[in-house]
Amino acid sequence: MTIDDLTNTTGEWLRGEGPDSDVVISSRVRLARNLAEYPFLSTASETERTEIYRAVTEAVATNAGWSDALSIDLTEADEINRALLVERHLISRQHAVGEGSRGVTVSTDETLALMINEEDHLRTQALRSGLQLDQIWKDVNEADDALSQQLAFAFDQQFGYLTACPTNVGTGIRVSVMLHLPALKLTKEIEKVARAARDMRLAVRGMYGEGTDAVGDLFQISNQTTLGKTEEEIISAFGRDIIPKIVEYEHAARESLVRHRMYQLDDKIWRAYGLLCNARCISSEETLALLSPIRMGIHLGRFSAFGQATLNELFLYTQPAHLQKRHGKPLEGEQRGVARAEHIRGVLSR
Amino acid sequence: MTIDDLTNTTGEWLRGEGPDSDVVISSRVRLARNLAEYPFLSTASETERTEIYRAVTEAVATNAGWSDALSIDLTEADEINRALLVERHLISRQHAVGEGSRGVTVSTDETLALMINEEDHLRTQALRSGLQLDQIWKDVNEADDALSQQLAFAFDQQFGYLTACPTNVGTGIRVSVMLHLPALKLTKEIEKVARAARDMRLAVRGMYGEGTDAVGDLFQISNQTTLGKTEEEIISAFGRDIIPKIVEYEHAARESLVRHRMYQLDDKIWRAYGLLCNARCISSEETLALLSPIRMGIHLGRFSAFGQATLNELFLYTQPAHLQKRHGKPLEGEQRGVARAEHIRGVLSR
């Protein structure tokens, strides 16, 4: 398997078929781990950093759970390939633009990814479409158990897992769910929901995590607390309480739109379609913004010109790296917008 | 012929086939006349106003040039019919909403119209598509000559024709040309052109005349001076000098767009098409704004999804009165926007 093979599919997380997938795009959980015998990366030397990278990749290479996995040395990957991994949510933006020995190992179905030498020595991520927190917790826990047979993780009886940033100390867990909330955005209730989430010490962010905007009405909600609760308690609060509540609000807002603002809703959905079918130059941000009402339209049964699979394809392959990858060469400025518009028209005229 | 028959065509002026019709929508000339034996309307009694109306309509009824014409008593026409006449440029907005005895007589091909008791007792208008000033001057002059055989017009040896407003005294002529200037608008040169026109004592207005905005990149340019020049001199300055110059500027701006901003131009044209094909609720202003780049696209050979005839149909039948007339009943607010969007989709899916 090579990095090019990734671009044959849209990946599991974007499949759009899991539970509550009309609102919940994907669920993600990651564990932060560090090797006990090495200092944190902030103080590690280049040599130590390289040794950590080798130790982890060797453990992964002999680990039965990762036998078919794709391992990528990020120091050898070019800019487009690194950006591609970010767009597929397999590495963070920080990891893509970082320096020194670092890499990622990805399971063939992309449900598991192992970032090596990002902020911590190791970050194990499980990612699936829809609201599947129990499943991804099982996935990531099994992977973590298997790796901990091979690698000695820094662990303190009082504090739990030790991490580079104190906010991750304890369980080292971060649970995050990507939500599509176009109706709450349209009815202007989104700020209320975001405030309530922040009051519960949850982080509300844009699609690509920290510091990114909520393009396409996509919001990532994640826990900030990692200490004093078990992993199961954190997962449970998310999966049975917090997220279902937000999903309920979004459903209510969608129902209200259908009942009281049907024409405006249909108008928004179909105008977006008209622009996608006809634009001659378009940015990825605008593409996501236009796909948003269409996604809602599909789930509300008010749009039928194309389905979820086509939507997912457009969603991912109009992102800059995917677009350039498929195009076979780097594209700058207007060229890129023109190629994106051409790609979209091609898909929609099939 | 009845007023309903008018709605079977888009009228001569919008035919879009006259000289320079890629830029010049239509040419119009009108003459202001008043009956010598009656005071101006500002001081006329209701009885006198009614007598003027009768005198003119009787003259028209026995005038060979107007034998097949449609005569409409505006005090009997409902609001939608009056608005319809405004949209067809056969009466002014002021005439539509005015009070007291008043009317309009329209030739079967709509190239000639006679407003009775608007600001003056009589305003004779000739209107044709494209830049056809010599032809419409011939049309209006012949109509005026024939009417002056039957009616004694107020005329002064020193001042010429006497009119209700001093700005019309002399020839009583107003020449106006409706121009479509989307490229000058896009390249932001339109203000420069408008300033130059105003410096030449020309009025620059929106589509429906005085006090209206330039929706759809449509601008009316007309003379302000009626005194001290012959009709032929005024017509000639317009037709051989002023308008061809503006047409030349617009052509240069269009060429520059094609050469330097082709993708943005195509993007604007095709996005407009996408919105028209898919909107579920749309205003007449937005419709005109969207038809503007498409009209330019047709003339530049960059748009072929439909032609000038369909464009003209959309242009006219999406106007509020035409839309309601065709719909068979008055439509309010959102209803109207929804019906307009439905009508457009119907035309474009033929």
Side-chain angles (χ1 to χ4, degrees):
Chain A
M1 190 179 177
T2 70
I3 197 164
D4 292 348
D5 295 328
L6 288 181
T7 61
N8 295 330
T9 72
T10 54
E12 206 288 330
W13 71 276
L14 196 59
R15 200 165 43 89
E17 288 176 10
D20 281 328
S21 63
D22 57 337
V23 177
V24 184
I25 304 276
S26 60
S27 310
R28 191 175 77 100
V29 60
R30 66 108 174 109
L31 300 175
R33 300 288 183 259
N34 288 275
L35 305 190
E37 57 193 306
Y38 289 97
F40 290 136
L41 291 170
S42 50
T43 54
S45 67
E46 262 312 297
T47 313
E48 286 170 323
R49 192 183 173 102
T50 306
E51 283 174 25
I52 296 163
Y53 181 70
R54 280 210 200 112
V56 176
T57 48
E58 274 163 27
V60 171
T62 58
N63 186 307
W66 296 92
S67 58
D68 295 326
L70 166 66
S71 281
I72 300 155
D73 183 337
L74 289 177
T75 61
E76 289 171 6
D78 67 17
E79 197 183 329
I80 290 184
N81 277 333
R82 284 181 277 130
L84 185 92
L85 294 166
V86 175
E87 290 174 5
R88 298 184 83 84
H89 291 255
L90 297 171
I91 65 173
S92 64
R93 285 197 173 180
Q94 291 74 10
H95 205 35
V97 300
E99 287 184 353
S101 286
R102 68 199 196 285
V104 65
T105 298
V106 180
S107 69
T108 46
D109 64 358
E110 297 178 59
T111 57
L112 279 171
L114 208 64
M115 279 198 286
I116 307 162
N117 287 349
E118 196 236 26
E119 187 179 288
D120 293 294
H121 298 164
L122 210 86
R123 287 192 162 185
T124 310
Q125 157 182 296
L127 176 68
R128 285 188 185 270
S129 62
L131 188 57
Q132 299 201 61
L133 291 169
D134 293 334
Q135 179 62 47
I136 57 170
W137 167 237
K138 189 170 165 282
D139 294 344
V140 84
N141 204 21
E142 282 173 9
D144 186 54
D145 283 351
L147 287 166
S148 64
Q149 304 290 316
Q150 301 170 283
L151 299 163
F153 292 142
F155 185 82
D156 178 275
Q157 284 302 334
Q158 192 191 344
F159 292 117
Y161 289 102
L162 302 177
T163 53
C165 177
T167 59
N168 288 317
V169 163
T171 54
I173 199 174
R174 170 151 294 167
V175 181
S176 61
V177 172
M178 197 179 346
L179 298 169
H180 183 227
L181 305 175
L184 287 171
K185 186 77 183 291
L186 268 174
T187 59
K188 298 189 167 64
E189 295 167 276
I190 191 72
E191 265 313 310
K192 218 164 57 187
V193 172
R195 260 201 311 277
R198 286 186 188 111
D199 287 347
M200 295 164 76
R201 300 225 271 161
L202 300 170
V204 181
R205 300 188 173 105
M207 184 169 66
Y208 292 114
E210 230 158 312
T212 63
D213 284 337
V215 183
D217 306 322
L218 295 167
F219 297 85
Q220 263 200 68
I221 305 229
S222 54
N223 68 306
Q224 309 242 57
T225 317
T226 53
L227 197 61
K229 281 186 184 167
T230 68
E231 290 88 340
E232 283 82 359
E233 283 168 347
I234 293 169
I235 295 274
S236 173
F238 249 70
R240 293 190 230 316
D241 191 23
I242 297 163
I243 302 302
K245 200 79 199 164
I246 300 178
V247 170
E248 202 181 303
Y249 286 141
E250 172 67 17
H251 282 163
R254 291 186 187 185
E255 267 163 45
S256 160
L257 286 176
V258 171
R259 193 162 309 161
H260 306 296
R261 294 164 61 185
M262 195 183 72
Y263 285 122
Q264 288 108 303
L265 177 67
D266 286 349
D267 193 49
K268 196 170 171 68
I269 294 168
W270 287 94
R271 280 171 181 254
Y273 174 65
L275 290 175
L276 288 172
C277 289
N278 289 283
R280 261 42 182 181
C281 187
I282 193 166
S283 70
S284 56
E285 289 76 12
E286 188 186 358
T287 305
L288 290 179
L290 295 174
L291 288 174
S292 174
I294 293 178
R295 190 181 201 278
M296 171 164 61
I298 291 172
H299 287 288
L300 289 174
R302 304 204 69 81
F303 181 84
S304 54
F306 60 79
Q308 181 76 41
T310 301
L311 184 116
N312 293 343
E313 188 185 338
L314 290 177
F315 187 96
L316 200 60
Y317 286 96
T318 55
Q319 298 287 304
H322 276 78
L323 184 77
Q324 293 175 88
K325 190 87 182 168
R326 190 157 275 194
H327 203 263
K329 62 176 191 210
L331 293 162
E332 292 303 324
E334 187 182 70
Q335 264 197 321
R336 199 190 287 178
V338 171
R340 181 177 292 110
E342 262 170 27
H343 171 77
I344 297 170
R345 293 203 309 283
V347 169
L348 295 184
S349 65
R350 277 194 311 229
Chain B
M1 190 175 175
T2 71
I3 196 164
D4 293 348
D5 294 328
L6 288 181
T7 61
N8 296 331
T9 71
T10 54
E12 206 286 330
W13 70 276
L14 196 58
R15 200 165 44 88
E17 290 176 9
D20 281 328
S21 62
D22 58 336
V23 177
V24 184
I25 304 275
S26 59
S27 310
R28 191 175 77 98
V29 61
R30 66 107 175 109
L31 300 175
R33 299 288 182 260
N34 288 274
L35 305 190
E37 57 193 304
Y38 289 96
F40 291 135
L41 291 171
S42 49
T43 53
S45 68
E46 262 312 296
T47 313
E48 286 169 324
R49 193 184 173 99
T50 306
E51 283 174 25
I52 295 163
Y53 181 71
R54 280 210 201 113
V56 176
T57 47
E58 274 163 27
V60 171
T62 57
N63 186 308
W66 297 90
S67 57
D68 295 326
L70 166 67
S71 281
I72 300 155
D73 183 337
L74 289 177
T75 60
E76 289 171 7
D78 66 18
E79 198 184 328
I80 290 184
N81 277 334
R82 283 181 277 132
L84 186 92
L85 294 166
V86 175
E87 290 173 5
R88 299 185 82 85
H89 292 253
L90 297 171
I91 65 173
S92 65
R93 286 195 173 180
Q94 292 75 7
H95 205 37
V97 299
E99 286 183 353
S101 285
R102 69 200 195 285
V104 64
T105 297
V106 179
S107 68
T108 46
D109 64 357
E110 297 178 56
T111 56
L112 279 171
L114 208 63
M115 281 198 283
I116 307 161
N117 286 350
E118 196 236 28
E119 188 180 290
D120 294 292
H121 298 165
L122 209 89
R123 287 191 162 186
T124 310
Q125 157 183 296
L127 175 69
R128 286 188 185 269
S129 61
L131 188 58
Q132 300 201 59
L133 291 169
D134 292 334
Q135 178 62 46
I136 58 171
W137 167 239
K138 188 169 166 285
D139 294 343
V140 84
N141 204 22
E142 283 173 7
D144 185 55
D145 283 351
L147 287 167
S148 65
Q149 303 292 316
Q150 301 171 283
L151 300 162
F153 293 142
F155 185 83
D156 180 276
Q157 285 300 335
Q158 189 190 348
F159 292 117
Y161 288 102
L162 300 178
T163 54
C165 178
T167 59
N168 289 315
V169 164
T171 55
I173 199 174
R174 170 152 295 168
V175 181
S176 62
V177 172
M178 194 174 356
L179 298 169
H180 182 227
L181 306 175
L184 288 171
K185 186 77 183 290
L186 268 174
T187 58
K188 298 188 167 66
E189 295 165 277
I190 191 72
E191 266 313 309
K192 217 164 57 187
V193 172
R195 260 201 312 275
R198 287 188 187 109
D199 286 348
M200 293 164 76
R201 300 224 271 163
L202 300 171
V204 181
R205 300 188 173 106
M207 184 170 64
Y208 291 115
E210 227 156 319
T212 63
D213 284 338
V215 184
D217 306 323
L218 295 166
F219 298 83
Q220 264 199 67
I221 305 224
S222 53
N223 69 306
Q224 309 241 57
T225 317
T226 52
L227 196 62
K229 282 185 184 168
T230 67
E231 290 88 340
E232 284 82 0
E233 282 167 348
I234 293 169
I235 295 272
S236 171
F238 249 70
R240 294 191 229 314
D241 190 24
I242 297 163
I243 302 301
K245 200 81 198 163
I246 300 177
V247 169
E248 200 182 303
Y249 286 141
E250 172 66 17
H251 281 164
R254 291 186 187 187
E255 268 164 44
S256 159
L257 286 176
V258 170
R259 193 163 310 163
H260 306 295
R261 293 166 63 185
M262 195 184 71
Y263 285 121
Q264 289 108 302
L265 177 67
D266 285 349
D267 193 49
K268 196 170 171 70
I269 295 168
W270 286 94
R271 280 170 181 254
Y273 174 65
L275 290 175
L276 288 172
C277 287
N278 288 283
R280 260 46 182 178
C281 187
I282 194 165
S283 69
S284 56
E285 289 77 11
E286 187 187 358
T287 305
L288 290 180
L290 294 175
L291 288 173
S292 172
I294 293 178
R295 190 181 201 278
M296 172 166 57
I298 291 172
H299 287 288
L300 289 173
R302 306 204 67 82
F303 181 84
S304 53
F306 60 79
Q308 180 77 40
T310 301
L311 184 116
N312 293 343
E313 189 185 337
L314 289 176
F315 187 96
L316 199 61
Y317 286 96
T318 56
Q319 299 286 305
H322 277 78
L323 183 77
Q324 293 175 91
K325 191 86 182 169
R326 189 158 276 196
H327 203 262
K329 62 175 189 210
L331 293 162
E332 291 303 323
E334 187 182 69
Q335 265 197 320
R336 198 189 287 178
V338 170
R340 181 177 292 111
E342 261 170 27
H343 171 76
I344 296 171
R345 293 203 308 284
V347 169
L348 295 184
S349 65
R350 276 193 310 225

